[in-house]
Each structure stands twice: as structure tokens, then as C-alpha cells.
Amino acid sequence: MELFDAIRRRTTTNGHFLPDPVSEAHQRLLMELAGRAPSQLNSQPWRFVLVENRETIETIARISGESMTEAMSNGTFFERYKPYFRFSKEEMERRRDGMLFDKLPAALRPFTSQAFTKRGQKLMNGLRVPHTLGEENRRLVAGSPLLLGVMLDRGEYRPGELSSFYSLFSMGAAMENVWLSTLELGMGIQFVSFPMEVPGKWDLIVDLFKVPADLELMAVYRLGYLPPEQRRPTIDWSSHQRKLPSQYVYRETCETPQTGWDDLQAPSER
């Protein structure tokens, strides 16, 4: 696969994986390619933990599902991320960012305009939307044959210091290597983020991974091989649009947007 094609095809897997274990050869390859990422002074601050134990995965799945239900039931998730929610193709085309909720139960569709009001929250809770999403999230994580914990060395990652930026930048580069490589291997990947949204839940995962004091658990991802056809969840979203160059590229100074490139924009995917 050509590199440019892989970058354009990069995607997040919202659906289920095949139950097949991720081969040790593929796990080893992903970790080698992660370790090829750039880092300040070749510090290589990243550390990874690969988890295949079913009991551990099931426990993390339960924590993730419960976290999603709680964050959506009390409104904190919608309040925090409402600038990125889109409910029409027209808005998505105009903004070219965020998440388009293009798959919703019929009962919810007439109320999208009230999504961020108290009445809308009450309606969603009454229809058990947070519970439905939380249970779907639990199943997705539980059905993952492999979890990947990403950590940073606290000797390099020192919040408040410049080294913290360098470490985060390097971690992002390492994970982009992993993300792009999954395409070549017929795999998918998704960030398991909801335990970070609810106080106390992330600490449970830190304990499960037995993360030592000199490391900081930064992220958890689920990985697996993709089935031939992906079934979309009950409530789902898409994010195919990308901003046009004129919306994020400037020429010489930040007062002059780049022109003439928008019509050359290559097709992109979710």
C-alpha cells in the first residue's frame, strides 16, 4: 500500500472486530513501527502494554460502558463536546469538521435540535439512549481481541515543562505509525476514551495494567481484524469531511489564507 493512500484511507473503527486473535507477528510489527517514530533527542518516551487476557478485557469493557452511560446520562459529555456535534449534512459540508450523527433511532430524529437542552437530555434518558450507547460500547470493547495501553516515561513526561510537549508529540507520532499500519494488516483501531471522561474510572484501568509509578498511562486502544462488512451501531456518526486548505493553510503570514488549492483536495475517508 502506498503511503499517501494509507494516510487518506486512515479510519477509526466504530464497529465490531473478528474474534480471531491478533497474531504475535503482527503485534511485534506494530510495536516495531511505533518505536520508529521521531522523538526529541531520541528519548523514545513511549511504553506499551499489550493485553489479550479475556478477564482483563471484559473488565475494561464494563468500565468503559458504564463510563459512557454515566457521562451521557448526566449531560457532561454533550456539554463538553457540543461544538463538534452535527445533525445535518448541510452543516457538516459548511463546517467540514466534527461528527455527523447520520444514524439515529427514528424516535430521536425529531428532537436533534433539542440535543443540548434540559428537555432533550430528559428525553434521551427516558428513551435510555445513554444505556443503549453504553451497552454497545461495552460489547465493542469486550469483543476486541487486543487492547493496547500507551504510557509515557515520567522522567520525560513532566507536565509544565517543555519535555512534556516533546513527549506528547512523540507519542502521537508513534501512534500514527500504528494507526496507518493497521490498514496494511487488515486491522481496525479505536480509542477507548470514555473511562477518561468520568472521575475515578481511569484509575481502575491503571490498577488493572499494574502501571508502575514511573510511568503515566495516557491512552488505551482496541484493535482487531476487520470483518468483510462492518455493521454500524444503533446510534452512529460519520466524519468523512475534512477542512479545505483555505480553511487551515496560510501563505507567508497568518493574515493570508492559501488560495487555489481547494479544488485539488483529494478524497478522504472517515
Side-chain angles (χ1 to χ4, degrees):
M1 180 184 295
E2 294 292 335
L3 175 61
F4 294 168
D5 183 48
I7 292 173
R8 289 173 179 139
R9 288 182 56 204
R10 185 211 60 79
T11 184
T12 296
T13 303
N14 284 355
H16 293 268
F17 297 132
L18 293 173
D20 310 52
V22 176
S23 72
E24 185 173 346
H26 285 172
Q27 294 182 38
R28 181 176 179 177
L29 178 60
L30 289 174
M31 292 298 92
E32 181 215 337
L33 296 175
R36 297 280 181 177
S39 60
Q40 175 73 359
L41 301 175
N42 198 27
S43 56
Q44 304 175 63
W46 48 71
R47 303 291 185 272
F48 302 97
V49 55
L50 297 161
V51 178
E52 296 179 283
N53 180 273
R54 291 313 310 167
E55 184 177 351
T56 302
I57 292 175
E58 292 280 355
T59 300
I60 292 175
R62 176 181 54 78
I63 294 170
S64 182
E66 291 174 353
S67 299
M68 189 174 197
T69 297
E70 182 174 342
M72 291 195 164
S73 295
N74 61 26
T76 57
F77 177 80
F78 296 107
E79 182 61 30
R80 185 173 295 157
Y81 298 112
K82 62 184 179 182
Y84 308 104
F85 283 54
R86 313 280 178 256
F87 294 106
S88 72
K89 292 181 179 179
E90 292 74 20
E91 183 183 16
M92 193 69 178
E93 181 65 27
R94 175 172 52 83
R95 295 288 300 272
R96 304 189 69 85
D97 64 3
M99 315 293 286
L100 173 62
F101 284 78
D102 59 344
K103 188 173 187 293
L104 292 169
L108 277 181
R109 292 171 198 160
F111 302 98
T112 54
S113 62
Q114 304 175 45
F116 306 116
T117 65
K118 289 183 178 179
R119 184 172 183 270
Q121 183 69 58
K122 185 177 180 180
L123 173 68
M124 286 191 292
N125 289 350
L127 293 172
R128 294 177 60 80
V129 171
H131 179 272
T132 298
L133 288 171
E135 179 57 22
E136 178 70 21
N137 179 270
R138 184 199 65 76
R139 286 197 298 266
L140 286 174
V141 178
S144 305
L146 179 67
L147 296 184
L148 173 63
V150 186
M151 299 163 289
L152 286 176
D153 182 344
R154 289 183 187 271
E156 299 291 336
Y157 176 64
R158 301 187 296 273
E161 299 184 25
L162 190 55
S163 65
S164 178
F165 166 76
Y166 292 146
S167 295
L168 288 171
F169 183 89
S170 299
M171 184 188 77
M175 282 310 302
E176 184 72 357
N177 282 1
V178 171
W179 212 299
L180 294 176
S181 299
T182 59
L183 289 165
E184 183 72 18
L185 301 177
M187 295 174 61
I189 183 171
Q190 185 181 37
F191 185 23
V192 181
S193 61
F194 271 94
M196 306 180 81
E197 300 283 347
V198 179
K201 297 293 189 181
W202 195 246
D203 293 336
L204 299 177
I205 298 179
V206 171
D207 291 342
L208 281 170
F209 287 172
K210 301 186 185 303
V211 180
D214 61 337
L215 297 180
E216 176 87 12
L217 181 65
M218 305 299 295
V220 175
Y221 296 86
R222 65 183 194 95
L223 297 93
Y225 296 113
L226 295 173
E229 294 184 7
Q230 282 279 288
R231 177 179 61 83
R232 297 188 72 186
T234 304
I235 300 175
D236 195 22
W237 47 86
S238 64
S239 55
H240 302 283
Q241 294 283 18
R242 292 295 183 270
K243 287 185 179 295
L244 299 171
S246 62
Q247 295 175 297
Y248 66 92
V249 180
Y250 302 91
R251 177 66 65 178
E252 305 300 343
T253 74
C254 294
E255 295 179 336
T256 309
Q258 173 67 48
T259 60
W261 288 4
D262 288 0
D263 57 347
L264 303 177
Q265 184 83 334
S268 61
E269 295 198 10
R270 182 191 195 127

